[in-house]
Amino acid sequence: MTRKAPREDVGDERLEIGSPKTWAGGVPAVGHALGTAYRQMGAGRTMLTLLRVNQKSGFDCPGCAWPEGDGHRSPAEFCENGAKAVAEEATVRRVTRDFFAEHPVDELARRSDYWLGQQGRLTEPMYKPAGSDHYEPISWEDAFGVVARELRALDHPGQAVFYTSGRTSNEAAFAYQLLVRRFGTNNLPDCSNMCHESSGSALTETLGIGKGTVLLEDLHRADLIFVVGQNPGTNHPRMLTALERAKRGGARIVAVNPLPEAGLLRFRNPQRPSGLAGTGTALSDRFLQIRLGGDLALFQALSLLLLEAEDAAPGTVVDREFVEAHTHGFDAWDEHVRGLDWAEVLEATGLTRAEIEETARDVLAARSVVVCWAMGLTQHRKSVPTIREIVNFLLLRGNVGRPGAGVCPVRGHSNVQGDRTMGIYEKPKREFLDALEKEFGFPPPREHGHDTVEAIRAMRDGDAEVFFAMGGNFVSATPDTAATEAALRRCRLTVQVSTKLNRSHAVCGEQALILPTLGRTERDVQAGGEQFVTVEDSMGMVHASRGRLRPASDALLSEVAIVCRLARELLGDDPHVPWAEFEAGYDAIRERIERVVPGFDDFNARVRRPGGFALPNAPRDERRFPTATGKANFTVNTLEVLRVPRGRLVLQTIRSHDQYNTTIYGLDDRYRGIKNGRRVLFVHPDDLAERGLADGDMLDIVSEWPDGERVAEGFRAVAYPTARGCCAAYFPETNVLVPLDSVAETSNTPTSKSVVVRLRRAAEGAAEETVSHRGGD
């Protein structure tokens, strides 16, 4: 059986390919940010919104989760892609009932996410009845009635799936998980299942907390920073400012990635004169162009070199006092690492021994080391062992729990970490459920629910019949596109709480609801007055977010209001939860969070202070590790070299610069030299030549699995300086290549960064498309 990705409306007839950039930011970043904002919002609205982004009295950027810090903030505390995210939400374009009358669902399903997103903000609830191919207006009361009716008709609560995107506020997330558990299930998959679940799994086992252990100030104070499997210039641009500050303080930076990324080569900070008129700051002191899947081997090799340096000069390398007082399992790990096979290390990494030894010398010269990573590390079969090995590397020299040192998993969505803190998790801890029961007086379900992959399987197999999504674009965020779409279409009802149109509205169940909600930029006025919400950033800082724009439509409801009104319709007069009180004023929700979730003492008062507060972090704050052993755990992780059949490559899915997760802002990826197109495949020129292919050829990408082939058709080959044996293409276009059953050990995260593929020439006809190859820097 062959599965193919759907071809959509965005053609690449005007595709232009130039040379990749060697720096990020500067005047072009300012121009693109303001240009996008002006086109979407107009001049006045642009100034009103952008000057409030990430300010202490403003709203949190709906883009990434990078922290702002507690010190002085620039009047322009946003990056290029943050400005694009704000413009997408605060756009003056509107999707009305007339749009849905004109466009049937079948047509919308053939449109791309880019086209759908460009139509503008949703303005009123819409309902697609069973048997209809059109959405039609529905009142909020009737919409909640449809959801409640279908949920009550289920044989048991486990037949419903309640998904959450990372943009959901703390207050909405807490109320949402409370509703779901009050209904009787832990089926609370979220976007973390597809990105940093591997980080949480590894860090919980080794350090006792599923989060990072550094604050922004630790990056500024570090002597050495590893940036692994991450492209901050596109995905977390404000991180470049932190790296620049670290460089000014004397830090060295090692970039570990299969692709050379402009943002890690040189940064022209648009808020500094040297960034606008000068050459900017060179960031990476060392670039290790590693093969996909080779990171575990790299960090084991670095640790082996550190152990050998300790042998040569006892007492000068390993932090024996820390290891003996605060860790467990060192001897078994030490014995394992000393048996490392250098031939396998070099094969796995694609690096030379000299490169690794030079990096080890950087480590030996550094007092404090931070390792940052993102999805380039978390979406492999061996992601959890790899992250555990990074922890081993840091524990060896005591680089956890002291200033300028620690682990830094860089999250994506602006509140994805906060949602998990609030209880959006299919495998809740007993302590959380106990606190919930004590506070609200009902027994929450104890059986684990479905994660994202399990939820798709349940819908596919008929074991789940209602799908409810609090934000996000489930269809485009998940693997195995054909299987996911078929699974959703089998549902009796799919519900999407959204600000804008996306493919998940068009790939839907027999019945479907679109429930439009307020955005971060908008005022939230309830019966108790104007409200604010809170979010948690990637480093555990909790702060307030206050929108200032008039809502895109008077018919919009906040996420909290949607949850609370649905709860009242579904549960009736609930003796356990004061849903009407929660909706009227969010302080009431925060009072309950304070009593259920550790670290939120005096929540309402502390979050009103400018900048908010840091959540407690035992490894960082106390060098205390709440693991099964009561100490930080060294772990033994077996190196398995990723060997692929002859003629195959290893594919990683990536974002373009005009993209944030599944939101496509435009069709350019200027740092990689791509303009007016997305169906491109980045391949090393020697790998193309070995296959009798050339730059500019039209290709199909094929992945091979026991249940058949999966094909992404019609990609333009781009000769690119990626690591040998590796290639890259954008998601969601290549999600079709990743089957549901290809997941990371322990975390069950789809393996979107290590897909073995072969390349074949595209079918005749696709090659008629034209492309302009041009030079330039």
Side-chain angles (χ1 to χ4, degrees):
M1 179 179 178
T2 300
R3 295 173 173 84
K4 296 182 179 181
R7 293 303 301 271
E8 301 167 340
D9 58 275
V10 176
D12 289 344
E13 294 82 3
R14 298 185 300 117
L15 175 64
E16 299 178 6
I17 299 175
S19 299
K21 303 295 184 185
T22 57
W23 52 272
V27 173
V30 177
H32 282 274
L34 295 180
T36 299
Y38 179 79
R39 287 190 297 274
Q40 292 278 0
M41 298 187 290
R45 200 172 173 90
T46 292
M47 297 302 294
L48 181 64
T49 54
L50 294 187
L51 293 179
R52 293 186 181 274
V53 181
N54 296 322
Q55 299 300 327
K56 293 180 180 180
S57 61
F59 62 89
D60 195 63
C61 177
C64 79
W66 189 254
E68 287 76 46
D70 198 33
H72 171 74
R73 297 186 186 181
S74 162
E77 191 65 45
F78 59 88
C79 65
E80 175 188 347
N81 279 352
K84 293 175 185 174
V86 171
E88 281 276 315
E89 180 182 293
T91 180
V92 296
R93 301 171 188 174
R94 300 290 181 263
V95 176
T96 67
R97 61 179 62 184
D98 293 337
F99 172 90
F100 289 105
E102 180 181 350
H103 299 282
V105 172
D106 181 63
E107 177 202 329
L108 296 178
R110 296 192 299 271
R111 296 289 190 174
S112 69
D113 275 309
Y114 173 63
W115 186 90
L116 293 169
Q118 290 301 302
Q119 305 313 301
R121 287 290 298 277
L122 298 161
T123 55
E124 62 180 320
M126 303 298 297
Y127 174 55
K128 187 195 82 66
S132 174
D133 196 35
H134 280 270
Y135 280 98
E136 57 192 47
I138 187 173
S139 70
W140 278 106
E141 182 180 3
D142 289 345
F144 294 132
V146 170
V147 181
R149 180 190 71 215
E150 293 299 329
L151 288 174
R152 291 195 196 105
L154 297 173
D155 293 336
H156 57 85
Q159 289 182 308
V161 171
F162 297 89
Y163 176 74
T164 311
S165 164
R167 68 173 294 280
T168 307
S169 70
N170 286 331
E171 292 73 16
F174 186 81
Y176 186 50
Q177 64 81 28
L178 185 60
L179 165 63
V180 173
R181 293 189 167 107
R182 193 73 186 87
F183 177 60
T185 181
N186 283 313
N187 285 347
L188 281 161
D190 69 340
C191 55
S192 281
N193 297 148
M194 294 175 286
C195 54
H196 271 287
E197 198 68 57
S198 297
S199 300
S201 298
L203 296 177
T204 299
E205 177 185 355
T206 56
L207 299 179
I209 186 169
K211 305 178 182 183
T213 65
V214 300
L215 295 172
L216 188 58
E217 293 73 20
D218 290 309
L219 281 179
H220 302 158
R221 300 172 67 173
D223 297 320
L224 180 64
I225 301 171
F226 283 82
V227 182
V228 188
Q230 186 186 359
N231 176 17
T234 286
N235 301 332
H236 311 91
R238 289 188 301 130
M239 181 179 177
L240 299 182
T241 303
L243 295 178
E244 179 188 49
R245 180 169 172 179
K247 287 286 292 186
R248 294 203 307 269
R252 289 179 62 80
I253 296 173
V254 177
V256 184
N257 208 49
L259 291 167
E261 300 291 8
L264 287 172
L265 298 176
R266 183 172 291 274
F267 176 44
R268 297 183 181 180
N269 189 338
Q271 299 198 28
R272 295 172 60 86
S274 61
L276 293 173
T279 60
T281 303
L283 292 183
S284 295
D285 297 279
R286 193 177 305 284
F287 172 44
L288 300 180
Q289 189 165 33
I290 199 164
R291 288 187 66 238
L292 287 164
D295 305 278
L296 187 153
L298 170 63
F299 281 96
Q300 280 197 345
L302 290 173
S303 293
L304 174 60
L305 292 171
L306 296 178
L307 290 172
E308 291 175 347
E310 172 72 7
D311 294 342
T316 64
V317 177
V318 175
D319 188 338
R320 294 287 182 184
E321 182 179 352
F322 173 82
V323 169
E324 292 172 7
H326 296 290
T327 74
H328 174 268
F330 173 80
D331 291 341
W333 171 80
D334 177 273
E335 180 181 359
H336 173 75
V337 170
R338 289 182 186 276
L340 194 62
D341 184 334
W342 270 100
E344 289 198 335
V345 169
L346 302 184
E347 181 184 0
T349 62
L351 303 172
T352 66
R353 182 160 179 163
E355 287 178 299
I356 299 173
E357 289 175 341
E358 289 166 1
T359 306
R361 284 193 282 274
D362 290 338
V363 178
L364 288 168
R367 163 68 180 156
S368 299
V369 179
V370 172
V371 180
C372 306
W373 69 86
M375 285 161 47
L377 217 61
T378 64
Q379 294 182 324
H380 303 267
R381 189 170 68 88
K382 291 291 184 179
S383 287
V384 173
T386 297
I387 297 167
R388 291 195 304 236
E389 202 58 57
I390 288 174
V391 174
N392 292 338
F393 165 77
L394 290 170
L395 293 178
L396 186 60
R397 304 197 76 203
N399 277 308
V400 176
R402 57 183 173 80
V407 294
C408 182
V410 182
R411 307 279 178 168
H413 271 111
S414 63
N415 198 41
V416 63
Q417 188 160 294
D419 288 350
R420 184 59 62 87
T421 302
M422 292 296 107
I424 301 293
Y425 189 32
E426 73 280 359
K427 302 179 184 68
K429 290 184 177 181
R430 176 181 54 81
E431 294 83 358
F432 177 83
L433 296 179
D434 289 346
L436 207 63
E437 182 170 4
K438 179 180 179 182
E439 177 63 25
F440 291 100
F442 74 92
R446 300 282 171 162
E447 181 181 356
H448 287 173
H450 298 315
D451 65 17
T452 295
V453 168
E454 292 163 346
I456 296 170
R457 290 176 183 147
M459 291 185 286
R460 177 197 63 190
D461 298 339
D463 295 329
E465 298 184 356
V466 173
F467 175 81
F468 192 108
M470 182 62 71
N473 181 0
F474 190 80
V475 167
S476 295
T478 46
D480 214 340
T481 306
T484 297
E485 292 188 356
L488 286 167
R489 287 184 169 122
R490 287 198 60 170
C491 291
R492 287 208 322 245
L493 173 67
T494 54
V495 184
Q496 306 286 338
V497 178
S498 308
T499 56
K500 300 191 74 178
L501 203 61
N502 62 51
R503 278 186 57 77
S504 295
H505 303 120
V507 179
C508 55
E510 296 173 18
Q511 304 171 79
L513 280 165
I514 300 173
L515 306 182
T517 190
L518 295 175
R520 289 270 180 86
T521 57
E522 293 168 322
R523 290 193 190 96
D524 183 353
V525 180
Q526 303 297 334
E530 189 163 330
Q531 306 298 312
F532 67 89
V533 295
T534 63
V535 297
E536 178 185 344
D537 66 31
S538 192
M539 295 181 179
M541 295 292 299
V542 178
H543 58 273
S545 177
R546 300 173 176 85
R548 288 293 180 265
L549 294 179
R550 178 178 177 177
S553 164
D554 291 339
L556 302 185
L557 292 180
S558 72
E559 291 174 324
V560 170
I562 290 171
V563 170
C564 293
R565 293 189 190 186
L566 174 58
R568 297 204 297 274
E569 180 68 27
L570 177 64
L571 303 173
D573 186 12
D574 188 346
H576 298 285
V577 184
W579 297 108
E581 181 183 344
F582 282 1
E583 180 184 350
Y586 302 167
D587 277 358
I589 302 176
R590 287 187 282 269
E591 288 173 2
R592 300 304 188 100
I593 292 172
E594 176 180 336
R595 296 199 286 268
V596 171
V597 184
F600 284 84
D601 308 290
D602 203 17
F603 190 5
N604 274 312
R606 287 200 295 160
V607 83
R608 282 176 163 83
R609 299 169 189 161
F613 61 92
L615 289 174
N617 186 301
R620 181 191 68 214
D621 303 337
E622 310 170 46
R623 276 199 161 178
R624 181 172 61 82
F625 303 95
T627 65
T629 65
K631 295 186 175 184
N633 290 317
F634 280 92
T635 55
V636 172
N637 304 293
T638 302
L639 171 59
E640 294 182 13
V641 180
L642 178 59
R643 296 184 174 97
V644 303
R646 185 177 181 83
R648 273 53 172 179
L649 298 172
V650 184
L651 170 80
Q652 63 171 329
T653 65
I654 58 175
R655 301 174 186 167
S656 81
H657 192 63
D658 265 359
Q659 174 179 359
Y660 190 75
N661 291 342
T662 59
T663 302
I664 313 300
Y665 305 132
L667 302 179
D668 296 346
D669 189 0
R670 74 173 188 277
Y671 290 157
R672 298 189 181 106
I674 305 300
K675 185 174 183 180
N676 295 325
R678 290 182 53 82
R679 299 188 79 84
V680 294
L681 178 68
F682 300 100
V683 190
H684 194 282
D686 292 346
D687 287 325
L688 285 174
E690 282 185 0
R691 289 153 181 79
L693 302 171
D695 184 47
D697 284 352
M698 291 300 300
L699 306 173
D700 294 339
I701 312 171
V702 183
S703 66
E704 302 160 324
W705 304 93
D707 63 349
E709 295 181 344
R710 287 164 171 78
V711 183
E713 295 180 327
F715 282 71
R716 181 77 56 176
V718 177
Y720 201 82
T722 186
R724 287 296 309 273
C726 303
C727 59
Y730 303 131
F731 73 86
E733 288 85 350
T734 48
N735 287 356
V736 67
L737 300 171
V738 187
L740 284 180
D741 294 332
S742 182
V743 293
E745 298 172 356
T746 306
S747 68
N748 214 35
T749 298
T751 58
S752 300
K753 295 295 187 288
S754 52
V755 185
V756 178
V757 298
R758 76 172 194 272
L759 310 181
R760 72 184 187 197
R761 294 188 183 277
E764 189 174 354
E768 294 177 3
E769 295 179 2
T770 59
V771 62
S772 166
H773 287 265
R774 65 183 186 180
D777 61 359

